[in-house]
Amino acid sequence: MIFRIVEEATGRICMSIDCDPETARLYLQPGQVLMSGGANLMIDETKLMVVDGVSTRKPGASDDPRLLSGEGEILVALEA
């Protein structure tokens, strides 16, 4: 299963990992939330962020009109 570790305050995607939920929680740091969902493990985390549970292109990240890998994925926050 694919998980994203996301900064709660900014929506910045810190890490994407493919493992079980217990292992994924080991990577969490204070101020971060574990989110599940999505089909793409390899994404450009410098160009995407999470807004209201959806991976969204950062403002000014790219002028390319094509979808970025992982863009538009619906993510669900898991309980700590």
Side-chain angles (χ1 to χ4, degrees), residues 2-78:
I2 296 175
F3 295 97
R4 310 272 187 233
I5 295 178
V6 178
E7 275 186 3
E8 284 186 282
T10 64
R12 181 178 73 89
I13 300 171
C14 303
M15 182 185 302
S16 298
I17 49 180
D18 184 8
C19 60
D20 60 87
E22 294 76 26
T23 302
R25 283 185 178 89
L26 297 174
Y27 291 93
L28 284 174
Q29 295 181 13
Q32 296 177 339
V33 62
L34 183 63
M35 303 188 89
S36 68
N40 298 296
L41 179 60
M42 303 303 290
I43 63 170
D44 188 345
E45 296 164 348
T46 65
K47 294 182 180 177
L48 295 174
M49 61 189 287
V50 178
V51 177
D52 296 327
V54 179
S55 58
T56 306
R57 191 178 303 218
K58 289 180 180 178
S62 176
D63 293 332
D64 190 342
R66 296 176 291 180
L67 282 179
L68 298 171
S69 178
E71 186 175 6
E73 292 180 341
I74 296 173
L75 304 173
V76 177
L78 300 180

